[in-house]
Amino acid sequence: MAVEIRLLNDHELSAANKFFNNVYKINRSEKDFYWEFFNGPNGKAIYVGAIEDDNVDLKIVGIQCAIPLELIGSDGTKILTAKSEDTLVDPTYRGQKLFEKMYDVLVEKCKERGVKYIWGFTPAAKAFLRIGFEIPFQASQALLVTKPIPAFRHLSGLNPANRLVDTAKILCLSF
């Protein structure tokens, strides 16, 4: 079947969130999805999809998004940028260059919106270097817990099936 790469229409966005949830085996709510991607201070995100054309149902097999964000340069000028998010290709469709094709469309749509830079954080450096991105520095995340006991209670309560070793790890993380 042919796969079409294009900007997703508003009525197709919940299908993109379902695709994300199915691949990652999580339950990101539609409320959270719309909050993150469509209520930003610089407008709605640019959301591209790879759609398999089966002439019956909408079958999303890849997604890629850019969230517009305005940054302020050292001289005070405002620059419209976009944070790359929701980069995902169905594992059974990998090897068809869908990632590259989605980025071709995404970059074009970003240019149309006046976006000057696309940026993000990912461990998938090779894929982004392959399509022409530069990685000026590596970043990592840190965690500073200011209230260890409430943090431990909250984190350990997220999964009631935690084993003793899991609970101990959460305790160490919290302190």
Side-chain angles (χ1 to χ4, degrees), residues 27-71:
N27 189 24
R28 177 174 65 185
S29 72
E30 283 199 26
K31 179 181 175 188
D32 289 344
F33 175 74
Y34 280 93
W35 176 86
E36 183 172 3
F37 297 110
F38 300 98
N39 297 320
N42 296 104
K44 182 171 98 168
I46 301 164
Y47 215 103
V48 172
I51 297 109
E52 184 182 81
D53 181 17
D54 68 0
N55 296 323
V56 178
D57 294 316
L58 175 72
K59 182 177 181 186
I60 295 179
V61 298
I63 53 175
Q64 177 53 54
C65 175
I67 302 170
L69 294 167
E70 198 171 69
L71 300 181

Side-chain angles (χ1 to χ4, degrees), residues 65-130:
C65 175
I67 302 170
L69 294 167
E70 198 171 69
L71 300 181
I72 301 174
S74 59
D75 63 355
T77 59
K78 293 181 180 181
I79 304 162
L80 185 60
T81 70
K83 182 175 185 290
S84 176
E85 279 291 336
D86 272 19
T87 303
L88 181 60
V89 175
D90 184 311
T92 60
Y93 286 79
R94 291 189 183 148
Q96 298 181 33
K97 300 208 179 278
L98 296 182
F99 171 78
E100 292 87 343
K101 293 173 185 174
M102 285 190 298
Y103 254 99
D104 287 344
V105 172
L106 187 74
V107 167
E108 187 57 39
K109 296 299 179 185
C110 283
K111 286 179 184 177
E112 289 173 14
R113 287 263 299 263
V115 170
K116 302 295 181 203
Y117 300 97
I118 299 173
W119 56 276
F121 303 97
T122 181
K126 280 189 200 175
F128 284 91
L129 288 169
R130 191 174 59 243

